Amino acid sequence: RARAGLAAIECQAMMAKLNETPDPDLPITPAIRIGLNSGSVTGGLTGSEKKLQYTVLGDEVNLSSRLEGANKFFGSSIMVSEATYVGAKDVVEARELGRVRVVGKDTPIRVYELLGKKGALSSEWGKALEAYNIGLAHFIKRRYGEAALAFQEVVKIFPKDGPANLYLNASRDYAAIPPEETWDGVFNLTAK
């Protein structure tokens, strides 16, 4: 899990390096999203003699695919399940994104975004991460006004930060019109 997390961070770093001098013929800047999950899978060769491929199957594989797609919702780039985060937390910097219910699953899971190697975040990220964590704590406790103020601080530092903007907008909306008391704080993701 630690090596998978570090590999994902390296992939995103390489994408950033490649995009420093973009090809003017490309219509968009190349980007990737990564979803990581940990668990037992079935691996092996499938197909026929004419079309044979090695693949992995199982719920854990499906969940990692759903996490890759869930990055779109949060505006994140490397989303990992709690199982993966627990195995990688000693070597990576991360932030909690919240709890999500992905397509095809009834049970919510806690997800995180990997931000970099342990100890390698900039001082700006240190400040932003502190404000983000304060905002998330307020959001979870349904103190949406305070949450919005904290997420606003993150957006001042990183205006395009997807998760901070998502929570800032949700906090403002919920401060005006709170969700039902029965809302469990889980984001129900309806797209793959």
Side-chain angles (χ1 to χ4, degrees), residues 35-47:
L36 296 176
N37 184 35
S38 302
S40 297
V41 300
T42 300
L45 294 169
T46 63

Side-chain angles (χ1 to χ4, degrees), residues 11-91:
C11 285
Q12 291 295 8
M14 184 55 70
M15 285 301 295
K17 188 175 180 180
L18 289 171
N19 286 328
E20 286 174 0
T21 54
D23 183 341
D25 295 331
L26 293 176
I28 59 170
T29 302
I32 59 170
R33 293 185 304 267
I34 299 171
L36 296 176
N37 184 35
S38 302
S40 297
V41 300
T42 300
L45 294 169
T46 63
S48 66
E49 285 182 27
K50 292 184 179 184
K51 188 174 182 184
L52 194 62
Q53 71 179 45
Y54 187 88
T55 191
V56 289
L57 303 167
D59 281 346
E60 306 301 346
V61 176
N62 292 339
L63 180 55
S64 72
S65 175
R66 299 294 186 267
L67 296 180
E68 182 273 328
N71 278 299
K72 237 186 291 188
F73 175 79
F74 282 96
S76 52
S77 60
I78 306 172
M79 186 179 296
V80 302
S81 65
E82 188 168 20
T84 300
Y85 170 68
V86 167
K89 68 181 179 181
D90 293 336
V91 297

Side-chain angles (χ1 to χ4, degrees), residues 63 82 98-102 105-111 184-188:
L63 180 55
E82 188 168 20
R99 294 185 315 139
V100 298
R101 206 174 271 115
V102 297
K105 294 279 187 186
D106 292 330
T107 306
I109 62 159
R110 192 168 307 283
V111 292
D184 58 4
V186 175
F187 292 104
N188 293 308

